[in-house]
Structures are given as structure tokens and as C-alpha cells.
Amino acid sequence: MSQTVERAIGVLELISERPRHPTDVAASLGVHRTTALRLLQDLCQGGLARKREDGSFAVGYRLAGLAQSALEQFDLRTFAHSHLLELGRKLRLTVHIATVEDGRVFYVDKVDPQGGVRLYSQIGKPVVLHTSGVGKVILAYMSAEERAQVLDGYSYERFTDATVTTADDFAVQLREIREHGWAADDGEYEPYINCVAVPVRDGTGAVRTAVSVTALKAQMDLARLRELCRRSGPRPAPSPERLAGPNDDGIHDDGPGGDEPMTTDPVVMSPWRRTQR
């Protein structure tokens, strides 16, 4: 990737969070103010950014149109969105769906509760693998070889006191996820957030996708969130097909275990109920 394109992407990510002044952009990118201003002006000419009256820059209206067009091309989102809306309305909490692509896990869709607190997570943005419920679930169900490639050189950055910070501890956590059939983020990225996530099997039985439900700890603790999710709908039927034998790292491919069996029928599994294609 060229340096100019990389910087332009960095600028778009910054101003998508909130309006920024050129000095803020320059400091974040580590460039001179004139370089940041030139990038912002170029983006404005392309309709991807716009200058506000106070001199700060925000995302442009053309970017919103491009984003909507992009969302319409995501087949997984197109299929899953109505089911996420249903689950979100039922639980009155934030629901995410994420999938893996090129060794990174991205949020594909998100539903916020009406009238509730909106979380910062963004569609299309990669998740932090060792702290997110969806990231951990997808990694747990990968083959040992693919997981090793994804985590090669990975940095286990500490965000809170609950963050796992070593590869060995993370491997233990992934084995437990396979045994239980679900994962949690118990304040591991942000101390005030709880999350429960489950794997989604495709028609071949492979797990490349995960769905999560997220709540503020002030709303409910992890145990209560887990129980609420368990009660949100009928449990899926046990899988008629189960992959046999352990992976190289000792994670057994004998189904998710615990009380959350997953089907390998050609259906999409929302966390706690099955929905036909």
C-alpha cells in the first residue's frame, strides 16, 4: 500500500470517529500539519470529507452513500440483518455479527437498541482478537494451522486488568470456549462492557462467523447477560455430524460441548435460535 493511500485511510478513520482539526490529524498520523491539511482538502474535493464552520473536518456526504452501497453488497449482512433486529428488539441490547476474512475478523453488521446506549463498535472495522467475544469464538473453531497463521506475531496488548496478555493463557481460554460452546468479553477491552458470543456454522459445518450480544455492566453482569441470552429462544438441535479427533493444540473437534450444541444443517444460527434460509 502506498504511503499516501495509507495516510488517507488513516484520516478517514479519524474523522469517522468525530470531527477533527488538522493539528489533531497531524499529531495522530505523525505528519506535519500542512501534510494533514492537504490530505483533508483532497478528501473534501472527492466528497469523502467536508470542512465545518469551526475549521474541523468531518466525513463527507458521499462517503455515507458509498458506505450504504458497500453494505448492500455484504451477502451475510443482507441475510442476517432481519434476525439481528429481532434478537435486538427481544433483548433490548446491542447485537453484532462478525466474520473472518484474510486472517482478520470484521464486524459485518450491528443492531443497537432503540432508545438505548449506542456502543462505539463500527461495521467494517476489525475486532481485537484476544478481547472480543466474536474474535475468540472464531479463533477457537479454526484449525490449528490457520489459527497459528492468524496469531503469528500477534501482540496481546493489555487494555484492562481483565485482558489476557500471553499466548499460553489465550490458548487455554480458546480450549475452554470449545468445551463450553460460547465465549465472553468480561470487561477485557473496556471495563464497563460485557459480551456473550456464539459460533455460527455454515452449510458445511465450518465456523467462520460469530454473533454476540453486548451490555453495559451497569445494566447487568456477565452471569445475568448469559442467562438472559439462554432464555431468549429455543435451543438448536444437536448436530447430526461431528468432526472427530483433536487438533494439534489439543482442542477437540467434537462439537461445542456444554449445553449449546450447534447444528451443521444448511441454516444460519443466531445465538439462541435457528432461522431457516
Side-chain angles (χ1 to χ4, degrees), residues 142-186:
M142 281 182 179
S143 68
E145 293 78 11
E146 183 179 7
R147 185 165 49 250
Q149 290 179 355
V150 171
L151 295 178
D152 183 30
Y154 186 80
S155 176
Y156 296 88
E157 181 180 353
R158 180 184 295 278
F159 295 95
T160 72
D161 291 341
T163 305
V164 169
T165 57
T166 70
D168 288 343
D169 288 343
F170 192 49
V172 171
Q173 194 174 76
L174 294 182
R175 284 195 289 270
E176 292 173 348
I177 290 168
R178 280 303 294 262
E179 292 171 2
H180 299 154
W182 59 279
D185 168 7
D186 190 8

Side-chain angles (χ1 to χ4, degrees), residues 9 17 34 37 39 52 57 64 79 121 134 137-138 146 148-149 164 170-171 184 209 233 247 261 272:
I9 292 173
E17 296 173 357
T34 56
L37 181 59
L39 285 168
R52 296 165 23 119
F57 289 79
F79 176 79
S121 53
V134 290
V137 161
I138 291 174
E146 183 179 7
Q149 290 179 355
V164 169
F170 192 49
T209 303
N247 287 323
W272 299 278

Side-chain angles (χ1 to χ4, degrees), residues 14-31:
L14 287 170
I15 64 176
S16 69
E17 296 173 357
R18 65 177 185 276
R20 309 267 188 166
H21 286 86
T23 51
D24 298 329
V25 173
S28 297
L29 297 183
V31 300

Side-chain angles (χ1 to χ4, degrees), residues 6 15 17 19 65 69 81 85 94 126 172 176 214 227 232 276:
E6 185 176 6
I15 64 176
E17 296 173 357
S69 297
H81 187 69
L85 283 174
T94 300
V172 171
E176 292 173 348
T214 306
E227 183 58 29
S232 67
Q276 296 290 341

Side-chain angles (χ1 to χ4, degrees), residues 101-120:
E101 182 177 328
D102 296 329
R104 294 193 294 176
V105 177
F106 295 88
Y107 289 120
V108 177
D109 199 6
K110 170 189 177 183
V111 173
D112 285 307
Q114 290 188 351
V117 177
R118 291 182 176 272
L119 301 182
Y120 175 71

Side-chain angles (χ1 to χ4, degrees), residues 203-222:
T204 69
V207 174
R208 311 293 295 175
T209 303
V211 175
S212 68
V213 176
T214 306
L216 298 176
K217 285 193 173 185
Q219 292 176 287
M220 63 185 71
D221 61 18
L222 185 62

